[in-house]
Amino acid sequence: DAKTTQPNSMESNEEEPVHLPCNHSTISGTDYIHWYRQLPSQGPEYVIHGLTSNVNNRMASLAIAEDRKSSTLILHRATLRDAAVYYCILRDGGGATNKLIFGTGTLLAVQP
Amino acid sequence: NAGVTQTPKFQVLKTGQSMTLQCAQDMNHNSMYWYRQDPGMGLRLIYYSASEGTTDKGEVPNGYNVSRLNKREFSLRLESAAPSQTSVYFCASSVFRGGASTDTQYFGPGTRLTVL
């Protein structure tokens, strides 16, 4: 599985946008980019995923670089509830299994 | 609709004791997974079951056994607990009919296990 690189931690102020970067320079053509987050003392939860085009859902937006070697998760207006560890994960679109390979993620702190 | 449930929530064991962690899902998912998370680390896959009747090793299977009891339930057993198995254990499930591209995993709340 191709690996991802994320900053260990980031800070944001409440109600401001947050841009969480992820580098994946060895991404293959069939790899999808998935984001999960883990709130304190909870299991991870799915946030968003994409292949080549930018994606939006009710939780966040995902901006994917044209060469696909990096991506950015965008929280448009951070709330205190968004304080969590955010994981960027590559998933093989043609894989025979559904394993998730977690890195250490980015710990996002949101200040009031 | 409870999603993924895990029991117990907390457990303290002595070295050498055995126990089984229980996991159940009510979403009619085909695949189920067991992960462990050590402090400050990401989750690591212990075992998974792609479908009822099948189980496979993940990244860190040593010291564990699993049973896919039926489509709903997937248990994790520690036969002889060791302090190195002190961790938070998460169960997850997903639909997964082949092709991992858009399949989402749903996680339970976790079991916090301490081995003394």
Side-chain angles (χ1 to χ4, degrees), chain A residues 91 93-98, chain B residues 27-33 49-51 71 93-104:
Chain A
R91 300 271 299 281
T97 65
N98 192 26
Chain B
M27 297 174 281
N28 200 34
H29 283 170
N30 297 310
S31 296
M32 298 186 72
Y33 316 82
S49 171
S51 60
K71 191 171 186 178
S93 70
S94 69
V95 173
F96 190 56
R97 297 190 186 94
S101 60
T102 59
D103 192 64
T104 296

Side-chain angles (χ1 to χ4, degrees), chain A residues 30 32 34 36 38 40-46 49 87 91-104, chain B residues 31 33 35 37 40-43 45 48 57-59 90 94 96 98-105 107-109 112:
Chain A
T30 57
Y32 281 70
H34 289 245
Y36 281 73
Q38 187 174 20
S41 300
Q42 295 189 27
E45 63 177 352
Y46 167 81
H49 77 276
Y87 298 99
R91 300 271 299 281
D92 182 1
T97 65
N98 192 26
K99 294 182 285 187
L100 286 175
I101 308 297
F102 286 83
T104 52
Chain B
S31 296
Y33 316 82
Y35 294 87
Q37 185 174 34
M41 305 287 289
L43 281 72
L45 183 65
Y48 65 99
K57 295 178 180 179
E59 183 184 359
F90 291 99
S94 69
F96 190 56
S101 60
T102 59
D103 192 64
T104 296
Q105 290 191 16
F107 287 80
R112 283 148 184 80

Side-chain angles (χ1 to χ4, degrees), chain B residues 9-26:
Chain B
K9 285 187 171 54
F10 301 93
Q11 183 72 48
V12 178
L13 293 178
K14 294 181 179 177
T15 297
Q17 288 185 316
S18 61
M19 79 161 295
T20 299
L21 281 65
Q22 306 286 354
C23 174
Q25 52 90 9
D26 62 2

Side-chain angles (χ1 to χ4, degrees), chain A residues 15-76:
Chain A
E15 298 190 3
E16 289 186 356
V18 182
H19 290 232
L20 296 163
C22 181
N23 286 320
H24 28 80
S25 59
T26 60
I27 191 170
S28 73
T30 57
D31 283 341
Y32 281 70
I33 303 159
H34 289 245
W35 284 81
Y36 281 73
R37 73 178 185 181
Q38 187 174 20
L39 302 172
S41 300
Q42 295 189 27
E45 63 177 352
Y46 167 81
V47 178
I48 199 167
H49 77 276
L51 181 62
T52 57
S53 303
N54 295 344
V55 185
N56 300 297
N57 67 19
R58 64 175 181 81
M59 290 180 70
S61 296
L62 177 59
I64 302 172
E66 193 169 339
D67 64 4
R68 299 206 331 122
K69 294 185 184 300
S70 65
S71 61
T72 302
L73 179 70
I74 303 167
L75 307 180
H76 295 285

Side-chain angles (χ1 to χ4, degrees), chain B residues 58-112:
Chain B
E59 183 184 359
V60 288
N62 291 343
Y64 305 94
N65 287 301
V66 291
S67 296
R68 183 75 182 265
L69 304 170
N70 47 55
K71 191 171 186 178
R72 290 187 64 248
E73 297 172 291
F74 188 38
S75 63
L76 178 72
R77 183 160 178 84
L78 287 70
E79 290 291 350
S80 179
S84 61
Q85 293 178 305
T86 293
S87 191
V88 181
Y89 290 85
F90 291 99
C91 178
S93 70
S94 69
V95 173
F96 190 56
R97 297 190 186 94
S101 60
T102 59
D103 192 64
T104 296
Q105 290 191 16
Y106 297 84
F107 287 80
T111 293
R112 283 148 184 80

